[in-house]
Amino acid sequence: MKKLVVLGLATMFALTACSDNKATTTETPKATGNAKPAKLSLNWSVMSGLMGNVTLPSADKDFVKKAIEEKFNVDLKIDYMVTGKEYHDKLNATLAGGSAPDLFIAGGAESQKYINDGITANLSTFITKETMPNYFKWVTKEEVDAYQLKQGEFTRGMVPFSRNTYASWYIRQDWLDKLGLKSPKTYADLTNVLTQFTKADPDGNGKQDTYGFTAAGSGQNLPFDFPQWLNNGFVADFMIVDNSYVDNRTDLKVQGVIDQVVEWNKAGIVDPDWFLNKPPAHFDKASQSRVGMFFTAGDKTVALDSVATSVQNRTKALDPKANWQPIYPLDKPIMWKYNVPTDTFLISEATADKSPDKVKRSLEIVNWLEGEEGFLLTHFGQEGKHYTKSGNKITLNVAAFEADVAKAGNWLNVYAAFTPEDPNVLGFELIDSRVSEHDRAILKTVESFPKHNALPPVSLVPPAGINIGDFRKEMSKFHAKAVLEDKSGKNWPQYREELMTKFKGREIFTEYTKQLNSVLKDKKLNDFK
């Protein structure tokens, strides 16, 4: 009877804990009695556009790793790199070698290939509102369902993303002032300004060693860093116009984009290394006062005084007069789009088959990272040391945070890859004394740039057997060939037709049209020609 009473009380307490919405009660791995779950070794591959040149600290200083390993009884190994081709090349080699990570992050196009190749597991029974309540504070079930390649399956998790976007071009305002130039408002103005930045010695060192503009093509593409895309009417990579999917990068009018990029290249006003630059090389060149303008699609910190490693602070270390300011240099009605999901987290089929406990444990950790405790630790550090908490207000201890995190390479970004820095999603308000009036003005300016909502109501999936990543790879080759070899857009219509036929572009976009047509009330969808 005593045993039954104890068991009944234990069950009652367990049920009470499960009904509590607090993160600390829903996130801890469940065990039988007082025993911890069996210790597991987990291997993750993580990427993030915010990592930069990050190195995780030694084990005694990595308080996030220590917290995860103690809380979930695991040995966690994380392989991490900045988002880009090199990361996916390394991941592909790992997958081809038969040693798939237990959990890994991949781009949207890449995840489609992994799913179609049978590398990933169906997580329908693992990821629900009951098992991962914190995850669904960041995304809705409707969004998650629409993001799947097949209805009724859960083969890829949408990595939570910031809904607002901070896309902007940034320009050296002090160079404009020194040369007596006004901030450009049209494409002609912009071309003139960048020409002066190249030829008029804006840094005053008596040498013609600066360029107007730089970008990061990673040796493979013509990035949207170039304002020529927007100047020809293309807002980011795709648009939904009149309920139609418009694939900007393969439109016939891309010929105009190519011609204008070639003109800038021939004029010598673009950093000649732009195509080979890999992020964050373009930020490095800006920080070295070698260029006067660059673009970022999402990093809102690049010109902030409050971030020790920002382009603004790094440039001012060399030139105290440096003043990077956001600009909208074209007379177009829309500059960018609100964010859409770009990254996915996946679990390998091998892990799910052989070690379902690893799947559960990995997802428990992800859920914890996306809850209050994990979010605060991975974005603001340790409570009482790096920040204090009073109600919903989080006050950063700047000195400690700078010493242990910011000046140590912002290594928390490795663990923060699963959540954007949006504390308001969890009901928190951040008080950061480093954020100056200068910083608030920059953020307000960038937030005000006109954008449109480009989130499709359904995950757009190519026809069976066609991989969008392969198509994009060939598309990028044609962009590069036209700009760097042909030095003209004259052959673009021919290249485009090859993309539409040989590489199945017309089939892909026709299928996208059908998928949009199936969910949108307005059936007036244009056919892709």
Side-chain angles (χ1 to χ4, degrees):
M1 286 296 294
K2 288 181 180 179
K3 290 181 179 179
L4 288 174
V5 170
V6 170
L7 179 60
L9 289 172
T11 303
M12 180 183 71
F13 292 144
L15 290 172
T16 302
C18 289
S19 67
D20 194 341
N21 290 326
K22 292 182 181 180
T24 53
T25 60
T26 60
E27 297 164 358
T28 305
K30 296 178 178 59
T32 302
N34 293 322
K36 283 187 175 182
K39 192 165 191 176
L40 297 174
S41 294
L42 299 179
N43 181 21
W44 290 7
S45 286
V46 174
M47 69 171 187
S48 171
L50 297 178
M51 283 185 189
N53 298 318
V54 169
T55 300
L56 285 174
S58 56
D60 61 315
K61 294 182 179 179
D62 190 340
F63 48 79
V64 178
K65 179 180 174 69
K66 181 180 179 182
I68 291 173
E69 293 188 335
E70 290 182 354
K71 189 176 186 67
F72 296 94
N73 199 26
V74 296
D75 287 322
L76 178 62
K77 178 185 177 184
I78 295 185
D79 192 15
Y80 56 93
M81 289 179 68
V82 68
T83 300
K85 183 176 182 296
E86 287 188 359
Y87 170 83
H88 283 104
D89 285 347
K90 184 176 181 180
L91 178 59
N92 289 339
T94 301
L95 295 172
S99 54
D102 298 313
L103 179 145
F104 52 101
I105 292 180
E110 290 80 9
S111 68
Q112 182 207 337
K113 178 171 174 55
Y114 301 146
I115 292 167
N116 290 337
D117 288 347
I119 294 172
T120 62
N122 182 1
L123 304 175
S124 299
T125 59
F126 292 97
I127 300 180
T128 66
K129 283 189 174 181
E130 291 70 35
T131 60
M132 295 187 68
N134 292 326
Y135 176 61
F136 286 96
K137 293 176 183 178
W138 296 88
V139 297
T140 68
K141 186 177 185 304
E142 292 72 24
E143 288 174 332
V144 169
D145 289 344
Y147 200 56
Q148 304 312 310
L149 301 189
K150 292 182 181 180
Q151 199 169 21
E153 290 189 356
F154 193 120
T155 47
R156 60 179 184 176
M158 177 190 298
V159 173
F161 60 100
S162 177
R163 304 305 169 118
N164 202 353
T165 184
Y166 293 87
S168 179
W169 283 277
Y170 285 84
I171 199 165
R172 283 289 293 269
Q173 181 63 46
D174 55 308
W175 285 9
L176 288 173
D177 295 341
K178 181 174 182 178
L179 299 177
L181 300 169
K182 293 182 179 180
S183 185
K185 301 295 183 183
T186 66
Y187 184 74
D189 291 345
L190 179 60
T191 302
N192 176 60
V193 164
L194 300 187
T195 300
Q196 297 304 309
F197 280 0
T198 304
K199 298 181 178 180
D201 190 24
D203 60 353
N205 68 353
K207 302 176 183 178
Q208 193 170 311
D209 57 357
T210 57
Y211 294 96
F213 177 70
T214 191
S218 298
Q220 61 180 335
N221 59 48
L222 179 61
F224 278 96
D225 299 34
F226 279 93
Q228 284 82 352
W229 288 101
L230 182 58
N231 193 50
N232 282 269
F234 300 122
V235 178
D237 53 351
F238 72 89
M239 298 181 290
I240 296 178
V241 179
D242 296 329
N243 292 341
S244 299
Y245 177 90
V246 178
D247 191 69
N248 292 341
R249 289 175 286 179
T250 55
D251 194 273
L252 273 173
K253 292 187 294 184
V254 171
Q255 180 173 349
V257 177
I258 293 168
D259 282 334
Q260 290 181 349
V261 170
V262 169
E263 288 174 1
W264 274 19
N265 284 342
K266 287 182 176 178
I269 62 178
V270 181
D271 166 24
D273 297 327
W274 70 264
F275 183 72
L276 296 177
N277 286 340
K278 298 175 182 178
H282 56 324
F283 289 171
D284 293 340
K285 292 192 175 187
S287 301
Q288 295 159 6
S289 290
R290 295 170 63 184
V291 296
M293 191 179 85
F294 66 89
F295 177 82
T296 177
D299 187 354
K300 64 181 181 181
T301 70
V302 291
L304 301 187
D305 289 333
S306 58
V307 178
T309 55
S310 71
V311 171
Q312 173 76 0
N313 280 324
R314 291 165 62 195
T315 312
K316 288 179 72 173
L318 299 176
D319 182 356
K321 296 181 180 179
N323 181 15
W324 288 101
Q325 288 292 324
I327 60 166
Y328 182 16
L330 302 174
D331 51 349
K332 302 297 178 183
I334 300 293
M335 176 178 173
W336 202 245
K337 64 183 180 183
Y338 288 106
N339 278 333
V340 297
T342 57
D343 296 336
T344 65
F345 66 87
L346 307 103
I347 299 283
S348 73
E349 182 69 34
T351 299
D353 286 345
K354 298 178 182 178
S355 306
D357 285 346
K358 286 190 175 184
V359 179
K360 293 175 65 177
R361 200 79 57 88
S362 285
L363 294 177
E364 286 171 350
I365 295 171
V366 170
N367 186 61
W368 176 79
L369 289 169
E370 293 166 341
E372 292 184 6
E373 185 180 351
F375 176 84
L376 292 175
L377 188 67
T378 57
H379 287 267
F380 309 123
Q382 297 170 296
E383 184 175 2
K385 181 177 183 181
H386 301 111
Y387 72 89
T388 57
K389 180 174 176 286
S390 177
N392 70 332
K393 295 185 185 299
I394 305 299
T395 302
L396 205 64
N397 181 340
V398 173
F401 187 85
E402 289 281 339
D404 296 343
V405 179
K407 292 181 179 178
N410 277 323
W411 58 272
L412 283 182
N413 287 338
V414 173
Y415 298 104
F418 292 90
T419 49
E421 192 164 327
D422 284 347
N424 60 301
V425 172
L426 297 177
F428 293 117
E429 177 188 349
L430 177 64
I431 299 174
D432 185 349
S433 62
R434 298 172 303 173
V435 180
S436 62
E437 288 300 320
H438 164 271
D439 290 0
R440 278 188 277 271
I442 284 180
L443 294 173
K444 185 177 180 180
T445 297
V446 176
E447 288 173 354
S448 72
F449 290 152
K451 311 171 189 77
H452 75 87
N453 186 6
L455 183 62
V458 65
S459 181
L460 300 175
V461 183
I466 299 178
N467 177 32
I468 188 65
D470 293 338
F471 174 81
R472 294 298 183 198
K473 184 177 180 180
E474 297 301 325
M475 175 200 73
S476 295
K477 287 180 181 178
F478 281 131
H479 285 163
K481 184 176 181 181
V483 172
L484 303 176
E485 295 181 21
D486 301 344
K487 293 182 171 56
S488 169
K490 65 181 180 181
N491 292 325
W492 174 249
Q494 170 190 330
Y495 298 155
R496 181 186 184 274
E497 185 60 23
E498 190 169 349
L499 286 169
M500 294 298 110
T501 54
K502 180 179 178 181
F503 297 105
K504 317 258 186 218
R506 190 165 283 110
E507 292 180 43
I508 294 172
F509 301 136
T510 297
E511 179 64 22
Y512 285 1
T513 301
K514 290 179 181 178
Q515 291 167 20
L516 283 171
N517 191 49
S518 69
V519 295
L520 293 173
K521 294 179 181 180
D522 188 347
K523 304 299 183 181
K524 296 178 182 179
L525 293 175
N526 299 324
D527 292 330
F528 286 92
K529 303 298 183 183

